[in-house]
């Protein structure tokens, strides 16, 4: 009698453990699907959305900001504030999203800025694929080419997304690699200050 009760208790325990493992598996699967969904959405090409801020004077310096916006507004806001900072310093600034509509000949610019959010420790493919097309040309121009700035946005104060691009950026005149943290209330002001600072250099 006592051993039958013991066996039933064991069976119940096994059922509970199996249910917990099943639930954990389903939660993991759900998280993975959400992650894949997010990464797919953020990598979607946003098309040709050129915006131009006129510069000061007859022959202003020119900057191009190529950024991939994502789900919230942080990367877009950082790109726009950076553009405003450069523009206040006299630059003509063109903003657009990465994609096949963009030329890879960036030699007409004094400054080129690449910007993207970070997902799973990587910048968006939409941006890095464009960079893979444009950077060899920038590397060829070397010191004669435009200054290049790379910015990432993200929630984690780590920089592995920049390390991953080291090879791609080899030979390119990179003057800043900056990460704007989503939890930093000052990130927009910092982006503006960066633009203003770059305009003075
Ligand atoms: C699924 C997921 C993965 C993320 N992975 C990272 C990460 O590896 N490193 C990081 O700094 N931020 C990470 N973040 C935070 C995003 O980078 C942040 O939400 C993004 O910069 C916001 O940009 P947006 O406003 O343009 O969407 C992640 C966010 C989500 C939702």
């Amino acid at each position: 009698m006592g051993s039958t009760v013991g066996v039933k208790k064991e069976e119940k325990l096994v059922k509970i453990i199996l249910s917990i493992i099943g639930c954990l598996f389903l939660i993991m699967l759900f998280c993975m699907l959400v992650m894949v969904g997010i990464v797919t959405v953020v990598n979607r090409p946003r098309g040709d959305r050129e915006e131009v801020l006129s510069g000061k004077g007859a022959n202003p310096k020119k900057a191009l900001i190529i950024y991939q916006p994502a789900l919230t507004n942080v990367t877009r806001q950082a790109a726009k504030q950076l553009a405003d900072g450069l523009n206040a310093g006299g630059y003509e600034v063109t903003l657009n999203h990465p994609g096949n509509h963009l030329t890879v000949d960036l030699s007409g610019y004094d400054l080129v800025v690449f910007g993207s959010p970070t997902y799973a420790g990587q910048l968006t493919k939409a941006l890095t694929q464009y960079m893979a097309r444009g950077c060899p040309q920038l590397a060829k121009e070397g010191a004669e080419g435009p200054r290049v700035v790379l910015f990432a946005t993200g929630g984690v104060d780590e920089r592995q997304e920049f390390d991953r691009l080291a090879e791609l950026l080899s030979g390119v005149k990179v003057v800043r690699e900056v990460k704007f943290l989503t939890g930093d209330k000052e990130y927009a002001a910092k982006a503006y200050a960066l633009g203003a600072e770059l305009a003075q250099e």
Side-chain angles (χ1 to χ4, degrees), residues 170-182:
S170 144
V172 176
K173 200 163 68 182
V174 180
V175 293
R176 298 279 201 299
E177 286 181 345
V178 182
K179 185 158 183 182
F180 297 114
L181 294 172
T182 51

Side-chain angles (χ1 to χ4, degrees), residues 90-150:
Y91 268 69
E92 175 189 298
V93 187
T94 304
L95 295 116
N96 210 336
H97 302 320
N100 291 336
H101 53 272
L102 282 184
T103 172
V104 291
D105 178 11
L106 304 174
S107 56
Y109 295 97
D110 300 282
L111 179 73
V112 174
V113 180
F114 297 113
S116 165
T118 310
Y119 287 97
Q122 302 192 43
L123 299 185
T124 50
K125 279 212 171 60
L127 182 75
T128 56
Q129 280 172 354
Y130 173 76
M131 287 175 71
R133 289 200 294 125
C135 286
Q137 185 61 34
L138 287 172
K140 254 188 226 162
E141 289 167 33
E144 303 303 312
R147 290 182 293 154
V148 172
V149 171
L150 181 60

